[in-house]
Amino acid sequence: MSLDQTIRIERWTPLSRAAILIAALVLVLLAAGPLLFSNNAIDKLTTLFIYVMLAVCWNALAGYGGLVSVGQQAFFGLGAYAAVRLADAGLSVYPALVIAAVLVAIVSLPISAFMLRLKGGEFAIGMWVVAALCHLLVNLDSLVQGETGTSLIALNAYEADTRHALTYWVALGSMTAILAILFALLRSRVGSAIQAIRDNEEAAASVGVRVMSTKRIIFVFAAFGAALAGALWLATAITFQPKTYFGVQWTAYMIFMVLVGGLGTFEGAILGAVIFFVIEAWFGASGVWYLVGLGATALVFALFLPRGLWGWLERRYDLALLPLGYRVTIGGQPPSRERTPQGGPAAPAPTGNAG
């Protein structure tokens, strides 16, 4: 058998095709959730969908873009605030949730012009400063009444069952859209450029990558996702208190989910959100010990599983349920997948995989 006949380059595998089919079936089942589950179960699933959105967007920013932010609560809080403002202006409440996220994404454009000039720790701290500034500005709005806050009163127009179902469907649709857009983005040339910038910004620029515009795409996308999650959280909680929505704990949750699931892996962020959701459901009522447990768990993963659970599974068993790159197989035997410490694909060896 000639060498040409034994080399095969592929992106989708039988396992990944099966995974996509199963995911589609799960989404169909979840779409019927309000007809099958109680309001309590619907509310919990809505929370899970919001966590998935937060995790995948922060992972896109830090895991794939190399932009580690500790200020994503700025966009989370602004999304909720914009939804309150739009609803107060008379806009129908559920369209207001999505439009609020779009407006925050637009606001993030001028913010990116300044923040993307910063690198490393400067960017991380700079984003925290942006979040603190947004918190202070929102407090000045007479509608919000400082830390007293306000409520999404427009939701009272809906009966309880209808409100639970509509919020659930909007959250499910938003999560699905975020995942689909990000998946398509990371599989495109823009996705390759984003990861090239993360690995070496100067080298990426030297081969023609438009560094600032590419970084701006992922920055605005992450801002949109966080804002949409914040608006949806408001729809579940109804009340808006700036101190809660602009609290740094939201970014801490994002970091925890991505670190545990697998930084720089598409599936890992989803897995991390599920793990965090389960931990919160079981131990969330434990008060300060719950936070201590989250910190200790994150520390253990950082020390012993720096690639996260999915990163470890992927490396050990060569799993690729949602492949972003290509695989090169020789003689029907794909070698083990190699990844950089940040979780992105390493340069493929002559007989290796391009993750």
Side-chain angles (χ1 to χ4, degrees):
M1 183 179 294
S2 67
L3 182 61
D4 290 338
Q5 293 174 313
T6 61
I7 295 178
R8 185 174 60 184
I9 299 175
E10 61 183 2
R11 172 168 280 186
W12 293 100
T13 65
L15 179 61
S16 62
R17 291 188 181 94
I20 288 292
L21 177 60
I22 292 173
L25 293 175
V26 170
L27 286 175
V28 171
L29 176 63
L30 289 174
L35 305 177
L36 303 175
F37 309 130
S38 66
N39 283 342
N40 182 53
I42 289 299
D43 288 344
K44 288 183 177 180
L45 285 172
T46 302
T47 299
L48 174 59
F49 301 155
I50 294 172
Y51 286 161
V52 170
M53 292 169 58
L54 289 173
V56 299
C57 287
W58 195 87
N59 186 46
L61 186 67
Y64 288 101
L67 298 168
V68 179
S69 169
V70 294
Q72 291 305 103
Q73 68 270 16
F75 304 119
F76 184 86
L78 286 176
Y81 168 70
V84 168
R85 261 296 170 194
L86 290 172
D88 183 70
L91 188 64
S92 182
V93 62
Y94 284 102
L97 302 180
V98 179
I99 295 173
V102 173
L103 292 177
V104 173
I106 294 172
V107 170
S108 73
L109 279 169
I111 295 176
S112 70
F114 295 97
M115 298 310 302
L116 293 180
R117 298 179 184 275
L118 305 177
K119 297 181 181 179
E122 292 178 347
F123 175 82
I125 299 302
M127 286 303 302
W128 180 83
V129 173
V130 168
L133 179 60
C134 291
H135 183 186
L136 291 174
L137 292 175
V138 168
N139 274 350
L140 296 177
D141 190 339
S142 58
L143 175 65
V144 177
Q145 306 176 63
E147 294 298 348
T148 302
T150 185
S151 299
L152 194 60
I153 302 173
L155 282 175
N156 293 332
Y158 297 89
E159 295 182 356
D161 290 345
T162 302
R163 185 176 71 245
H164 288 291
L166 288 175
T167 303
Y168 172 89
W169 278 320
V170 173
L172 176 62
S174 298
M175 179 195 70
T176 304
I178 288 289
L179 289 172
I181 293 170
L182 181 60
F183 187 63
L185 181 67
L186 292 176
R187 286 166 61 94
S188 69
R189 290 188 176 184
V190 173
S192 299
I194 289 169
Q195 295 176 71
I197 293 170
R198 175 203 61 198
D199 294 337
N200 192 313
E201 186 171 316
E202 290 74 18
S206 69
V207 296
V209 173
R210 297 180 178 178
V211 174
M212 288 301 293
S213 59
T214 302
K215 289 167 71 173
R216 186 170 290 113
I217 290 172
I218 202 68
F219 183 89
V220 172
F221 175 82
F224 171 79
L228 187 54
L232 287 166
W233 190 269
L234 173 66
T236 64
I238 300 179
T239 59
F240 174 76
Q241 292 178 308
K243 186 176 181 180
T244 299
Y245 284 81
F246 287 97
V248 73
Q249 76 272 9
W250 291 107
T251 295
Y253 294 159
M254 298 178 212
I255 295 173
F256 176 87
M257 290 185 283
V258 174
L259 184 63
V260 170
L263 180 66
T265 61
F266 193 89
E267 303 92 337
I270 302 172
L271 177 62
V274 173
I275 292 172
F276 176 72
F277 172 78
V278 172
I279 292 175
E280 185 181 56
W282 286 353
F283 304 108
S286 301
V288 67
W289 288 108
Y290 161 67
L291 299 177
V292 171
L294 287 181
T297 302
L299 180 61
V300 169
F301 272 86
L303 292 174
F304 300 105
L305 283 177
R307 297 173 182 269
L309 277 176
W310 188 261
W312 176 79
L313 289 171
E314 186 180 55
R315 184 180 181 89
R316 183 176 179 85
Y317 299 106
D318 194 37
L319 289 177
L321 299 184
L322 300 170
L324 300 177
Y326 293 89
R327 294 164 57 93
V328 179
T329 59
I330 298 179
Q333 297 295 326
S336 61
R337 182 180 300 266
E338 295 293 336
R339 288 186 173 268
T340 63
Q342 294 131 312
T351 59
N353 289 342

mmCIF file of all heavy atoms in Angstrom, residues 187-204:
data_model
loop_
_atom_site.group_PDB
_atom_site.id
_atom_site.type_symbol
_atom_site.label_atom_id
_atom_site.label_comp_id
_atom_site.label_asym_id
_atom_site.label_seq_id
_atom_site.Cartn_x
_atom_site.Cartn_y
_atom_site.Cartn_z
ATOM 1 N N ARG A 187 -13.800 27.350 14.234
ATOM 2 C CA ARG A 187 -13.432 26.482 13.115
ATOM 3 C C ARG A 187 -13.072 27.271 11.859
ATOM 4 O O ARG A 187 -12.640 26.689 10.873
ATOM 5 C CB ARG A 187 -14.582 25.521 12.802
ATOM 6 C CG ARG A 187 -14.720 24.398 13.824
ATOM 7 C CD ARG A 187 -16.056 23.690 13.667
ATOM 8 N NE ARG A 187 -16.220 23.079 12.360
ATOM 9 C CZ ARG A 187 -15.931 21.812 12.076
ATOM 10 N NH1 ARG A 187 -15.449 21.012 13.025
ATOM 11 N NH2 ARG A 187 -16.139 21.331 10.868
ATOM 12 N N SER A 188 -13.273 28.574 11.913
ATOM 13 C CA SER A 188 -12.998 29.414 10.755
ATOM 14 C C SER A 188 -11.565 29.939 10.793
ATOM 15 O O SER A 188 -10.802 29.659 11.720
ATOM 16 C CB SER A 188 -13.967 30.594 10.729
ATOM 17 O OG SER A 188 -13.692 31.484 11.800
ATOM 18 N N ARG A 189 -11.218 30.737 9.792
ATOM 19 C CA ARG A 189 -9.893 31.359 9.768
ATOM 20 C C ARG A 189 -9.720 32.320 10.929
ATOM 21 O O ARG A 189 -8.605 32.486 11.448
ATOM 22 C CB ARG A 189 -9.689 32.095 8.444
ATOM 23 C CG ARG A 189 -9.549 31.179 7.242
ATOM 24 C CD ARG A 189 -9.157 31.952 6.000
ATOM 25 N NE ARG A 189 -8.934 31.066 4.873
ATOM 26 C CZ ARG A 189 -8.502 31.460 3.684
ATOM 27 N NH1 ARG A 189 -8.263 32.747 3.463
ATOM 28 N NH2 ARG A 189 -8.329 30.583 2.708
ATOM 29 N N VAL A 190 -10.808 32.941 11.335
ATOM 30 C CA VAL A 190 -10.731 33.840 12.485
ATOM 31 C C VAL A 190 -10.327 33.064 13.728
ATOM 32 O O VAL A 190 -9.516 33.526 14.534
ATOM 33 C CB VAL A 190 -12.089 34.545 12.709
ATOM 34 C CG1 VAL A 190 -12.077 35.352 14.008
ATOM 35 C CG2 VAL A 190 -12.423 35.449 11.540
ATOM 36 N N GLY A 191 -10.879 31.867 13.891
ATOM 37 C CA GLY A 191 -10.514 31.032 15.034
ATOM 38 C C GLY A 191 -9.043 30.664 15.023
ATOM 39 O O GLY A 191 -8.376 30.692 16.064
ATOM 40 N N SER A 192 -8.522 30.320 13.850
ATOM 41 C CA SER A 192 -7.091 30.011 13.750
ATOM 42 C C SER A 192 -6.247 31.238 14.082
ATOM 43 O O SER A 192 -5.217 31.133 14.758
ATOM 44 C CB SER A 192 -6.770 29.522 12.329
ATOM 45 O OG SER A 192 -7.491 28.351 12.024
ATOM 46 N N ALA A 193 -6.704 32.410 13.625
ATOM 47 C CA ALA A 193 -5.971 33.649 13.910
ATOM 48 C C ALA A 193 -5.992 33.966 15.399
ATOM 49 O O ALA A 193 -4.977 34.401 15.974
ATOM 50 C CB ALA A 193 -6.579 34.800 13.110
ATOM 51 N N ILE A 194 -7.131 33.742 16.044
ATOM 52 C CA ILE A 194 -7.250 34.003 17.475
ATOM 53 C C ILE A 194 -6.247 33.160 18.261
ATOM 54 O O ILE A 194 -5.540 33.656 19.148
ATOM 55 C CB ILE A 194 -8.686 33.699 17.950
ATOM 56 C CG1 ILE A 194 -9.656 34.747 17.408
ATOM 57 C CG2 ILE A 194 -8.756 33.653 19.472
ATOM 58 C CD1 ILE A 194 -11.106 34.391 17.602
ATOM 59 N N GLN A 195 -6.154 31.876 17.924
ATOM 60 C CA GLN A 195 -5.246 30.995 18.640
ATOM 61 C C GLN A 195 -3.785 31.303 18.306
ATOM 62 O O GLN A 195 -2.900 31.153 19.153
ATOM 63 C CB GLN A 195 -5.591 29.549 18.319
ATOM 64 C CG GLN A 195 -6.970 29.154 18.823
ATOM 65 C CD GLN A 195 -7.375 27.749 18.419
ATOM 66 O OE1 GLN A 195 -6.825 26.779 18.924
ATOM 67 N NE2 GLN A 195 -8.335 27.646 17.514
ATOM 68 N N ALA A 196 -3.527 31.739 17.070
ATOM 69 C CA ALA A 196 -2.163 32.136 16.712
ATOM 70 C C ALA A 196 -1.723 33.349 17.522
ATOM 71 O O ALA A 196 -0.583 33.425 17.990
ATOM 72 C CB ALA A 196 -2.093 32.440 15.213
ATOM 73 N N ILE A 197 -2.629 34.297 17.718
ATOM 74 C CA ILE A 197 -2.324 35.490 18.513
ATOM 75 C C ILE A 197 -2.063 35.094 19.963
ATOM 76 O O ILE A 197 -1.151 35.616 20.614
ATOM 77 C CB ILE A 197 -3.482 36.495 18.423
ATOM 78 C CG1 ILE A 197 -3.582 37.053 17.000
ATOM 79 C CG2 ILE A 197 -3.302 37.633 19.421
ATOM 80 C CD1 ILE A 197 -4.841 37.860 16.753
ATOM 81 N N ARG A 198 -2.863 34.172 20.477
ATOM 82 C CA ARG A 198 -2.659 33.707 21.848
ATOM 83 C C ARG A 198 -1.282 33.090 22.030
ATOM 84 O O ARG A 198 -0.587 33.351 23.008
ATOM 85 C CB ARG A 198 -3.731 32.671 22.202
ATOM 86 C CG ARG A 198 -3.549 32.020 23.575
ATOM 87 C CD ARG A 198 -4.241 30.675 23.629
ATOM 88 N NE ARG A 198 -3.687 29.754 22.644
ATOM 89 C CZ ARG A 198 -4.301 28.661 22.236
ATOM 90 N NH1 ARG A 198 -5.494 28.365 22.704
ATOM 91 N NH2 ARG A 198 -3.727 27.872 21.343
ATOM 92 N N ASP A 199 -0.862 32.279 21.054
ATOM 93 C CA ASP A 199 0.411 31.579 21.182
ATOM 94 C C ASP A 199 1.600 32.510 21.023
ATOM 95 O O ASP A 199 2.590 32.395 21.747
ATOM 96 C CB ASP A 199 0.480 30.440 20.158
ATOM 97 C CG ASP A 199 -0.540 29.346 20.445
ATOM 98 O OD1 ASP A 199 -0.966 29.238 21.609
ATOM 99 O OD2 ASP A 199 -0.911 28.629 19.505
ATOM 100 N N ASN A 200 1.513 33.454 20.069
ATOM 101 C CA ASN A 200 2.616 34.394 19.858
ATOM 102 C C ASN A 200 2.096 35.554 19.007
ATOM 103 O O ASN A 200 1.954 35.426 17.791
ATOM 104 C CB ASN A 200 3.810 33.722 19.165
ATOM 105 C CG ASN A 200 5.055 34.582 19.192
ATOM 106 O OD1 ASN A 200 5.003 35.773 18.891
ATOM 107 N ND2 ASN A 200 6.186 33.976 19.541
ATOM 108 N N GLU A 201 1.792 36.650 19.661
ATOM 109 C CA GLU A 201 1.169 37.781 18.975
ATOM 110 C C GLU A 201 2.070 38.359 17.889
ATOM 111 O O GLU A 201 1.611 38.686 16.792
ATOM 112 C CB GLU A 201 0.820 38.864 19.999
ATOM 113 C CG GLU A 201 0.037 40.014 19.426
ATOM 114 C CD GLU A 201 -0.472 40.955 20.501
ATOM 115 O OE1 GLU A 201 -0.970 40.432 21.528
ATOM 116 O OE2 GLU A 201 -0.374 42.177 20.325
ATOM 117 N N GLU A 202 3.368 38.487 18.188
ATOM 118 C CA GLU A 202 4.297 39.065 17.212
ATOM 119 C C GLU A 202 4.442 38.161 15.992
ATOM 120 O O GLU A 202 4.447 38.631 14.841
ATOM 121 C CB GLU A 202 5.665 39.309 17.852
ATOM 122 C CG GLU A 202 5.707 40.432 18.872
ATOM 123 C CD GLU A 202 5.043 40.057 20.182
ATOM 124 O OE1 GLU A 202 4.863 38.841 20.434
ATOM 125 O OE2 GLU A 202 4.675 40.973 20.947
ATOM 126 N N ALA A 203 4.544 36.859 16.224
ATOM 127 C CA ALA A 203 4.668 35.923 15.107
ATOM 128 C C ALA A 203 3.406 35.931 14.248
ATOM 129 O O ALA A 203 3.480 35.865 13.017
ATOM 130 C CB ALA A 203 4.946 34.516 15.630
ATOM 131 N N ALA A 204 2.239 36.013 14.897
ATOM 132 C CA ALA A 204 0.981 36.056 14.146
ATOM 133 C C ALA A 204 0.922 37.300 13.263
ATOM 134 O O ALA A 204 0.531 37.230 12.094
ATOM 135 C CB ALA A 204 -0.202 36.029 15.109
#
